[in-house]
């Protein structure tokens, strides 16, 4: 029996947290970098909802709740506001709206960044699941720089093309499966999503 041709659309929220970019002092680079990477990595239907907001905890919390509860995003990616400065409150806001913490994502992001700079240990990226009665979403804090965004999502490869450190996005599609979201597939050349064999869907060749 062939699979239904209708595929549920993945809804992704992209949130850039920056006082200066949201105030028009300079152009935001976080959201364009996230969108560009997703367009290269995802091969199943998706759409994005974008928000550019200041480093304000109440604003961040309100935005995350709106994107999950009202817009019904399955995945929300934030960029910026994860350092140790007084205005960096994205992790606090993220944890506050979550119902389950997913610390492994932040741990892996720091492992990747430590290949480049020792100050990666100052980054406080984290991830949570936010659940409502009939919906759930994965929320992840990413770095602020486009280069770092790509590295943490995609991972690092050596000159021979083999993986040195796995990127965090490899685990995202299966996580979305487990919380009731749509089945998302990736381009293995960019990021090979991992699922146990029992969770993989194979199209009929007939």
């Amino acid at each position: 029996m062939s699979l239904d041709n209708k595929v549920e659309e993945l809804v992704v929220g992209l949130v850039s947290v920056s006082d200066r970019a949201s105030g028009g002092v300079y152009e935001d680079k976080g959201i364009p970098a996230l969108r560009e990477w997703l367009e290269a990595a995802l091969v199943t239907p998706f759409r994005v909802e974008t928000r550019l907001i200041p480093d304000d905890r109440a604003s961040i919390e309100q935005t995350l709740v709106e994107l999950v509860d009202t817009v019904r995003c399955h995945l929300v990616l934030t960029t910026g506001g994860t350092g140790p400065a007084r205005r960096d409150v994205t992790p606090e806001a993220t944890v506050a709206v979550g119902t389950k913490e997913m610390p492994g994502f932040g741990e892996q992001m720091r492992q990747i960044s430590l290949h480049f700079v020792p100050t990666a240990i100052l980054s406080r990226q984290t991830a949570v699941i936010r659940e409502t009665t009939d919906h759930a979403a994965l929320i992840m804090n990413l770095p602020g720089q486009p280069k770092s965004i790509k590295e943490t999502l995609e991972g690092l490869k050596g000159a021979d093309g083999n993986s040195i450190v796995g990127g965090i996005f490899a685990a995202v599609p299966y996580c979305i499966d487990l919380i009731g979201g749509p089945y998302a597939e990736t381009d293995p050349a960019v990021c090979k999503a991992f699922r146990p064999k029992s969770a993989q869907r194979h199209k009929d060749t007939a």
Side-chain angles (χ1 to χ4, degrees):
M1 184 176 179
S2 63
L3 293 174
D4 192 330
N5 289 328
K6 186 177 180 180
V7 178
E8 185 182 357
E9 184 178 58
L10 180 71
V11 184
V12 184
L14 304 180
V15 182
S16 185
V17 181
S18 170
D19 285 334
R20 289 180 290 174
S22 63
V25 176
Y26 61 71
E27 184 180 0
D28 172 62
K29 295 182 179 179
I31 290 174
L34 286 169
R35 188 195 295 267
E36 180 181 3
W37 192 87
L38 289 170
E39 288 174 347
L42 289 170
V43 297
T44 42
F46 75 98
R47 67 178 174 86
V48 299
E49 291 280 341
T50 63
R51 302 289 187 273
L52 178 57
I53 60 176
D55 282 289
D56 172 73
R57 179 167 170 174
S59 297
I60 300 168
E61 290 184 21
Q62 181 181 9
T63 298
L64 296 178
V65 170
E66 179 228 349
L67 286 172
V68 177
D69 298 12
T70 304
V71 181
R72 296 178 73 80
C73 291
H74 305 101
L75 172 67
V76 178
L77 305 176
T78 75
T79 174
T82 59
R86 288 179 183 267
R87 293 290 291 174
D88 292 332
V89 292
T90 303
E92 284 75 20
T94 300
V95 171
V97 303
T99 52
K100 288 187 176 79
E101 291 191 50
M102 303 292 287
F105 286 105
E107 292 165 4
Q108 185 68 359
M109 281 187 261
R110 284 181 284 277
Q111 284 295 317
I112 293 168
S113 297
L114 278 168
H115 279 73
F116 300 97
V117 291
T119 50
I121 59 176
L122 302 179
S123 297
R124 301 185 303 116
Q125 289 101 343
T126 190
V128 302
I129 303 295
R130 176 172 174 82
E131 299 159 305
T132 64
T133 303
D134 63 345
H135 185 67
L138 172 63
I139 304 173
M140 299 196 300
N141 302 152
L142 300 178
Q145 296 300 316
K147 180 176 181 291
S148 297
I149 289 172
K150 177 180 169 63
E151 289 164 352
T152 53
L153 289 171
E154 198 168 311
L156 306 177
K157 295 180 180 178
D160 57 2
N162 292 323
S163 177
I164 299 174
V165 184
I168 62 168
F169 204 84
V172 169
Y174 185 49
C175 181
I176 293 173
D177 293 350
L178 293 173
I179 61 175
Y183 191 88
E185 295 184 272
T186 61
D187 181 347
V190 178
C191 174
K192 185 176 182 180
F194 176 83
R195 287 181 172 93
K197 288 185 177 180
S198 61
Q200 296 174 12
R201 296 182 187 175
H202 300 286
K203 295 181 180 179
D204 290 345
T205 56

